[in-house]
Amino acid sequence: MAEGEGPARYDPEAVEAKWQRRWAERHAFAARVEPGRRPYYVLEMFPYPSGDIHMGHVRNYSIGDVIARQRRMQGDSVLHPIGWDAFGLPAENAAIQNGQPPAIWTRGNIDRMRAQFKRLGISYDWDRELATCEPRYYRWEQLFFLRMLARDLAYKKLSLVNWCPHCATVLANEQVEEGRCWRCESEVTERELEQWFFRITAYADELLRDLDRLSGWPERVRTMQRNWIGRSVGAEIRFPLEGRDERLAVFTTRPDTLFGVTFMSLAPEHPLVPALVAGTPAERAVAELAARVRATRSGGKEGVPTGAFCRHPFTGARIPIWVANFVLMEYGTGAIMAVPAHDQRDFELARAHGLPIRVVVQPEGERLDPDHMEAAWEGPGRLVDSGEFTGLESEVAKERIAAALAAGGQGGPTVSYRLRDWGVSRQRYWGAPIPIVYCDACGMVPVPESDLPVVLPEDVALTGTGGSPLAAHAAFVNTRCPRCGGPARRETDTLDTFVDSSWYFARYLAPRDDATVPFDAREVGYWLGEGGVHRYIGGIEHAVLHLLYARFLTKVLRDLGFLPLDEPFQNLLTQGMVIKDGAKMSKSKGNVVDPDYLIERYGADTARLFSLFAAPPEKDLEWSDQGVEGMSRFLHRLWRLVHGIGPRLAPPGAAVPASPGGVDLELHRLTHRTIARVTVDVVERLHFNTAIAAVMELVTGIADAAPKAAPAVVREAVDTTLRLLAPFVPHVASELWEASGHTAPLDAERWPVADPAALVREVVEMPVQVNGRLRGRVTVPADASEADVVAAALADPQVQAHVGGRALRKRVVVRGRLVSLVV
RNA sequence: GCGAGAGUGGCGGAACUGGCAGACGCACGAGACUUAGGAUCUCGCGGGCAACCGUGGGGGUUCGAGUCCCCCCUCUCGCACCA
């Protein structure tokens, strides 16, 4: 049937509007606890409401929707919610630019994006929608904060922090990339500020250990988190300081090299440094080094002596103390014992300044000579010149020496982490207020839980200058001390938005009345009780930041008694980026494809289908305008097939003949083979591209067979096609389902199950190899014996020609697969 | 430097535990229907006239290797003076 002929023309806009309306009317995707059914919680990382969706969103949410819709058809009780990560800096920047308050700007964006998501036909339970900027959301976050404070899991301290001058705020370590702000790429500087922290380091071990149990996460993400946590086993060693009643503590992973120490190196910011050099000739040189380090964190090894000394814990030898540019205050104790013979950095510094090099570990079959070494030996070996430990293997010596230190009260075995506590204060307006009050009389006072929420005022003027507008908002700042009733001021820092996104997955399970607890225990038990969200989907860029914070906060909420959960996300799917012309789509590169335009021109189903077909989810997806055309063509072809099939299609429910033959059998088999393939691809492998390819083959098969096949067999094939396509292109599949005579909606249908009888073949075609090369093929009964198969193979003229009457040295028959003959 | 992943037609990508390399789609070519087609349908489409050769390169295991093992090359991502 030609296009443009009346009602049979596929008009995506009309079809999609119709079905979206019906789904909304029926609340078709409302999630309910149904004890008889398997729970399934599928979640995509919620978006920041920037105002417009981009192709990355289309991809992310299409992937989630396929899973959600397929699981529903499979009979699971599916929870598939959506919300908005609504706090954050862009709202403030927009407010400064166009004078619109962040709250108005944000809510307007949410409205626009919600409409776009609805136009995509994503099957969300819209009744559970949330936004982190609403007081009914962040009041619970404030409660968590207070409980964490009471448990010393939140604390405030003066600290050197990362400061972005452009964003005028503090950044977490995780938000600094190559010395630059993760958002605006400004050079990050250091500042000393009173800051709030979450004690994530208290969970370092558990966060690391539980990674081993997250078998449903990509290895890549687990490795990244492991490296980020950075656990090192070693020893702390305390060196007595000469002339002071104090000890200098260092961390080392190589206590076995203790006898090779020839000097100490301190970080320039080490708190002991000023005391050591004050009023000495070294003071100036140390200050200069510190200044240089502040300016540039890279370069060669530099160091200056402080003139101070400490003593070796075992030998009592005098050891000079240096300050070195490469020693990091943030790691270990900010001080190291320098062993030039066995650490390359110490080696370089020692060589530059003529400091002694003392070999204490000799590698197997070699004899290191300090005068002729070109590099430090960092490998294992046997200890020499190490007192009572001489002769030990270095691995053994590590333990012995650490134990000896512990026995002498001079240190002992310890574990060090790279992970730092999470700085959560932000000197910004558009975030959740930290529920703290400062009273002149009582000092820092937590807001009583009964006074929550501390509501963020929305009537603020943002000028972009003069710090946080909260500080200038008298009605917010000025308050009464909850303890003494006297005048007090509120904390004007707000919480990092990553705090908001660390627990939202659980908030979709909010109780209906919302009065006393943040989560509905029954719903939590049902949808999260099997070990967290069943399938979480989002970009790899959150591998450390969001995913580590969410794991941490989940464990905190568990320990606070809010969630019975060790981990938030059982299975993680990290989807790749959408690329065009080899680069990530971005406004600055001018290679952005607007999903709205795509939907207008081709329809949401085409947009979805392309983003699912062009690449498997975890790979980057190269954009192709022609590829989109191809998907559109396929849907038009499907439309014409179903509408043009006429009397060749039996009414719904028609029974397939008990033992079909010929074309009927072939189509019947193809149908069931496709069911099997698509089910594995969608449910187990999450390879939607090959699932769609399989359905395309079935559609081609139907088009070929329809004129000859029995109408009941065609009906089975068509119905199967539409069922299998329902998760991918729900609108057009629903419309064709209805147009072909069904009255019940497709989304309430069951996922098809392959009939094993239709999957077995009576005859199989097998390729035949002679001496490892393909020489022919034979068709034999599927249950033929090995001898029969070989006989059949030898009967093939091609095979015969290559065997040439020679005796068979070996024969391999792989059932249904192949015959291999060796002569 | 350390860690992870990936190299397959002109392109995106298939090939589950070793078993017919290139499914499906795009692009391209030929034909059909047409006043016309950038619509639709049919056929073709890794290279080579052929024997044969082909999954980054070189070895190996095997009846059989894109897949397993060893060495090397290239690219992408993450961390990066972590003591």
Side-chain angles (χ1 to χ4, degrees):
Chain A
M1 193 177 299
E3 269 194 88
E5 281 182 27
R9 187 175 152 269
Y10 172 37
D11 174 6
E13 204 177 333
V15 168
E16 289 169 8
K18 168 182 166 182
W19 287 96
Q20 284 161 18
R21 200 178 337 105
R22 290 208 186 164
W23 293 327
E25 284 163 7
R26 280 172 40 221
H27 289 260
F29 310 118
R32 276 180 218 95
V33 173
E34 294 179 60
R37 298 165 75 191
R38 235 202 95 181
Y40 197 87
Y41 186 176
V42 53
L43 182 67
E44 301 99 51
M45 290 182 186
F46 67 166
Y48 177 77
S50 59
D52 291 291
I53 61 170
H54 52 71
M55 285 312 302
H57 288 124
V58 173
R59 190 177 190 201
N60 190 209
Y61 301 115
S62 295
I63 291 167
D65 201 37
V66 169
I67 296 171
R69 287 178 180 270
Q70 193 280 334
R71 288 280 168 174
R72 258 183 229 111
M73 291 178 77
Q74 203 178 277
D76 295 352
S77 182
V78 171
L79 173 61
H80 188 214
I82 185 72
W84 311 96
D85 189 12
F87 274 136
L89 211 43
E92 289 187 53
N93 294 337
I96 293 162
Q97 270 171 28
N98 55 35
Q100 225 178 11
I104 305 289
W105 183 84
T106 302
R107 296 204 176 95
N109 285 352
I110 289 175
D111 290 342
R112 285 229 302 287
M113 289 179 75
R114 185 191 299 112
Q116 287 176 309
F117 279 130
K118 290 192 172 177
R119 285 181 68 195
L120 272 174
I122 314 289
S123 65
Y124 291 127
D125 180 352
W126 286 102
D127 303 336
R128 292 172 188 263
E129 182 183 350
L130 60 79
T132 57
C133 64
E134 302 300 338
R136 68 172 170 276
Y137 183 85
Y138 63 71
R139 65 176 284 199
W140 300 111
E141 197 164 301
Q142 293 173 336
L143 177 69
F144 303 153
F145 181 92
L146 293 173
R147 297 278 174 93
M148 288 174 76
L149 190 66
R151 290 237 192 164
D152 198 35
L153 289 171
Y155 65 95
K156 194 177 194 185
K157 74 166 185 204
L158 189 69
S159 72
L160 216 50
V161 293
N162 306 302
W163 178 263
C164 172
H166 180 258
C167 302
T169 189
V170 167
L171 299 174
N173 291 337
E174 289 81 353
Q175 293 164 345
V176 180
E177 296 167 352
E178 291 179 14
R180 292 175 178 278
C181 174
W182 68 297
R183 184 182 285 121
C184 72
E185 297 182 15
S186 304
E187 190 99 28
V188 171
T189 59
E190 289 185 327
R191 269 204 184 185
E192 201 158 49
L193 284 174
E194 282 261 18
Q195 291 292 305
W196 288 100
F197 287 87
F198 282 173
R199 207 178 293 282
I200 191 171
T201 51
Y203 287 83
D205 239 345
E206 194 191 342
L207 287 167
L208 184 70
R209 224 178 33 239
D210 285 355
L211 284 173
D212 296 334
R213 300 195 345 221
L214 293 176
S215 54
W217 283 37
E219 189 52 46
R220 187 148 80 111
V221 175
R222 294 199 281 170
T223 306
M224 280 164 74
Q225 292 209 356
R226 249 178 230 122
N227 293 343
W228 190 264
I229 294 167
R231 182 178 197 264
S232 298
V233 176
E236 184 176 283
I237 307 177
R238 295 192 285 274
F239 292 73
L241 285 160
E242 201 176 77
R244 303 174 67 91
D245 192 19
E246 247 184 290
R247 282 162 179 263
L248 174 61
V250 304
F251 171 75
T252 179
T253 55
R254 295 294 305 272
D256 54 313
T257 64
L258 179 55
F259 287 80
V261 175
T262 57
F263 60 103
M264 310 293 285
S265 293
L266 303 190
E269 311 92 334
H270 196 285
L272 204 55
V273 170
L276 292 180
V277 299
T280 74
E283 189 167 10
R284 187 141 171 211
V286 168
E288 279 171 8
L289 181 73
R292 269 205 306 282
V293 168
R294 285 267 167 113
T296 50
R297 250 306 177 191
S298 57
K301 307 287 173 286
E302 284 187 62
V304 291
T306 61
F309 290 84
C310 63
R311 293 277 181 182
H312 193 281
F314 289 165
T315 67
R318 271 185 111 209
I319 306 170
I321 301 174
W322 286 55
V323 172
N325 67 340
F326 60 87
V327 180
L328 305 172
M329 193 58 225
E330 310 89 72
Y331 186 74
T333 63
I336 61 168
M337 61 177 207
V339 185
H342 304 296
D343 182 286
Q344 185 58 26
R345 294 155 302 181
D346 300 339
F347 182 84
E348 287 172 32
L349 194 63
R351 273 285 149 85
H353 295 274
L355 291 160
I357 295 171
R358 224 178 112 81
V359 172
V360 291
V361 177
Q362 287 291 2
E364 179 80 32
E366 240 184 290
R367 184 106 216 125
L368 296 175
D369 170 10
D371 298 330
H372 298 99
M373 287 171 78
E374 282 167 19
W377 169 252
E378 296 182 338
R382 197 171 286 279
L383 264 62
V384 296
D385 295 330
S386 296
E388 56 174 302
F389 305 100
T390 299
L392 291 177
E393 285 295 331
S394 44
E395 277 311 306
V396 177
K398 281 181 185 175
E399 283 173 36
R400 294 280 182 83
I401 290 177
L405 288 164
Q410 294 153 307
T414 185
V415 173
S416 188
Y417 297 91
R418 208 190 78 107
L419 185 70
R420 305 286 90 195
D421 275 342
W422 176 13
V424 294
S425 309
R426 295 292 178 272
Q427 290 66 50
R428 302 301 314 192
Y429 155 71
W430 190 232
I434 295 174
I436 292 289
V437 160
Y438 299 98
C439 166
D440 286 341
C442 308
M444 190 180 90
V445 182
V447 172
E449 291 182 5
S450 54
D451 289 356
L452 296 182
V454 175
V455 176
L456 183 73
E458 297 188 354
D459 57 331
V460 292
L462 269 87
T463 57
T465 55
S468 167
L470 276 185
H473 196 284
F476 176 79
V477 174
N478 299 320
T479 184
R480 294 262 153 207
C481 172
R483 199 165 288 164
C484 71
R489 295 172 57 81
R490 285 193 191 281
E491 170 69 75
T492 56
D493 279 3
T494 54
L495 287 170
D496 183 1
T497 56
F498 277 96
V499 179
D500 310 339
S501 55
S502 292
W503 64 283
Y504 78 105
F505 68 93
R507 181 59 186 170
Y508 289 121
L509 309 167
R512 291 283 173 252
D513 63 4
D514 215 12
T516 53
V517 289
F519 313 118
D520 182 295
R522 187 157 170 264
E523 294 207 337
V524 167
Y526 185 66
W527 276 300
L528 289 173
E530 295 182 350
V533 172
H534 295 87
R535 174 67 60 184
Y536 195 40
I537 306 153
I540 187 81
E541 66 272 19
H542 294 104
V544 174
L545 285 162
H546 162 59
L547 290 168
L548 185 64
Y549 292 147
R551 294 184 58 221
F552 160 62
L553 207 63
T554 298
K555 293 174 189 299
V556 169
L557 293 179
R558 174 200 63 197
D559 292 345
L560 294 175
F562 286 107
L563 285 176
L565 202 62
D566 292 323
E567 287 285 339
F569 314 119
Q570 279 184 64
N571 296 292
L572 176 68
L573 178 61
T574 48
Q575 115 249 4
M577 292 185 303
V578 181
I579 305 278
K580 194 178 181 215
D581 311 323
K584 182 179 180 172
M585 283 190 183
S586 75
K587 278 179 194 155
S588 59
K589 292 196 189 76
N591 60 352
V592 177
V593 176
D594 175 21
D596 270 346
Y597 166 77
L598 200 63
I599 293 169
E600 250 166 62
R601 172 136 185 217
Y602 298 101
D605 282 333
T606 293
R608 293 168 59 121
L609 196 62
F610 175 73
S611 75
L612 294 162
F613 178 75
E618 56 303 341
K619 291 188 71 167
D620 286 348
L621 185 159
E622 174 72 35
W623 183 262
S624 157
D625 291 322
Q626 284 124 345
V628 175
E629 293 272 359
M631 294 304 104
S632 178
R633 273 204 288 272
F634 169 69
L635 293 181
H636 276 98
R637 189 156 64 237
L638 177 69
W639 181 277
R640 284 193 307 271
L641 174 69
V642 174
H643 279 276
I645 208 161
R648 303 303 309 161
L649 188 67
V656 174
S659 48
V663 204
D664 292 348
L665 182 60
E666 248 176 70
L667 183 58
H668 177 66
R669 277 192 176 138
L670 175 62
T671 300
H672 285 267
R673 223 167 40 235
T674 307
I675 294 171
R677 282 173 68 186
V678 172
T679 304
V680 169
D681 281 349
V682 171
V683 178
E684 286 165 33
R685 306 205 312 146
L686 302 169
H687 277 199
F688 309 117
N689 53 335
T690 47
I692 293 165
V695 179
M696 286 173 166
E697 288 182 63
L698 176 57
V699 169
T700 304
I702 295 172
D704 289 347
K708 300 158 282 180
V713 177
V714 175
R715 164 60 70 178
E716 179 190 49
V718 168
D719 280 4
T720 298
T721 300
L722 297 176
R723 280 194 173 101
L724 294 177
L725 280 176
F728 299 92
V729 286
H731 312 89
V732 67
S734 293
E735 181 66 20
L736 291 174
W737 183 258
E738 189 181 72
S740 74
H742 291 280
T743 48
L746 177 59
D747 52 86
E749 282 292 320
R750 296 308 291 260
W751 186 254
V753 177
D755 175 6
L759 297 178
V760 299
R761 310 215 53 157
E762 287 108 50
V763 291
V764 287
E765 192 190 62
M766 288 164 68
V768 182
Q769 289 181 354
V770 180
N771 287 347
R773 309 187 87 102
L774 185 68
R775 295 304 184 190
R777 50 192 73 232
V778 288
T779 303
V780 294
D783 56 359
S785 72
E786 233 175 76
D788 289 348
V789 173
V790 172
L794 287 172
D796 182 271
Q798 280 290 328
V799 174
Q800 237 164 36
H802 284 93
V803 171
R806 287 172 290 181
L808 291 185
R809 259 193 26 223
K810 187 162 184 173
R811 57 192 78 187
V812 180
V813 176
V814 184
R815 277 232 150 170
R817 279 288 187 185
L818 145 154
V819 188
S820 185
L821 306 173
V822 186
V823 297

